[in-house]
Amino acid sequence: MDKPLVEHFQKTAASYDAWYDAHPALYRTELAALRKAVPGRGRALEIGVGTGRFASLLSVRYGLDPSPGMLGQARRRGIRAVLGYGEALPFHDRSFDLVLIVFVIEFVEDLEGFLAEAARVLRDRGRLVIGFMDRDSVWGRYFHSTSKARAHFHPPSPPDLIAVLERGGL
C-alpha cells in the first residue's frame, strides 16, 4: 500500500466510520452477507481492519491496518489491533482459522502477494472471506467516479479475483 493512500485513510478515519452511520441499510446488508460466511468461532484476523466496524460484530478479535487513526477506533471496539501491511503480515504461519478481508483488495497493488500472505497465516482448513466491490458493478463504477481515493482504487472483477485465488492455491 502506498504512502498517499495510507495518509488518505489516516485523514478520513472519522468520516469513513460516519459513512456507515449515514447508510445503515447498506451496512446491515453487508454485515448480514458476511455473517453467512464467517464462522462464529476460532482465531480470526481482519486484514485492513480499519475502524473495526466489521470485525467487532463478527467475533474477529485481531486486526491489522496501516492507519494508526483507524486502529485507534478499532481498539476502542475491542479489537487487538496491529499496525502493519497485508503484504507483510507480522504473524506466524498457520496462526488463524479465519482471515477476513473487507473492501481492501480494491486498493492493493500486488494482489497475488497480498493474498499469498493471507494464505500463509491460515491454518489447514482455514477460511478466507473476501468482501469487495466488483469493478464492473454499478457501485464499483460509482465509487470510482466519486471517491477521493479513486486514484488508488483498482478493484478486480470476480473472474480476475478467482484467477488470482486459483493461481495462489486458494
Side-chain angles (χ1 to χ4, degrees):
M1 190 173 285
D2 59 33
K3 187 175 179 180
L5 181 59
V6 173
E7 289 172 357
H8 166 78
F9 283 113
Q10 181 67 13
K11 288 188 282 189
T12 61
S15 63
Y16 169 88
D17 213 48
W19 187 91
Y20 287 101
D21 291 332
H23 301 88
L26 182 57
Y27 177 55
R28 283 192 307 270
T29 300
E30 292 170 352
L31 195 56
L34 290 168
R35 279 191 170 126
K36 290 180 180 183
V38 172
R41 61 188 186 286
R43 190 166 190 238
L45 166 69
E46 184 176 357
I47 301 173
V49 71
T51 63
R53 273 245 175 214
F54 292 100
S56 64
L57 295 177
L58 295 169
S59 300
V60 174
R61 293 292 151 237
Y62 294 89
L64 176 123
D65 204 277
S67 168
M70 293 242 181
L71 287 177
Q73 291 183 49
R75 286 185 184 105
R76 286 189 287 282
R77 287 190 164 115
I79 305 301
R80 294 178 185 158
V82 176
L83 185 65
Y85 294 89
E87 295 85 351
L89 296 174
F91 301 106
H92 295 291
D93 293 358
R94 294 181 295 285
S95 53
F96 293 98
D97 299 296
L98 167 75
V99 172
L100 177 65
I101 303 168
V102 182
F103 304 121
V104 171
I105 64 169
E106 298 87 345
F107 299 99
V108 173
E109 291 289 332
D110 176 14
L111 189 55
E112 290 192 27
F114 183 92
L115 292 174
E117 273 294 278
R120 180 186 64 77
V121 301
L122 269 177
R123 291 183 176 145
D124 294 339
R125 300 188 188 273
R127 186 177 292 190
L128 174 64
V129 176
I130 302 173
F132 74 105
M133 278 186 260
D134 174 356
R135 74 169 173 229
D136 299 322
S137 70
V138 171
W139 184 239
R141 289 190 307 269
Y142 174 78
F143 186 89
H144 187 266
S145 69
T146 62
S147 172
K148 292 178 182 170
R150 70 179 160 267
H152 309 280
F153 182 73
H154 41 269
S157 67
D160 291 342
L161 178 56
I162 290 168
V164 169
L165 291 167
E166 287 176 345
R167 282 193 302 273
L170 296 166

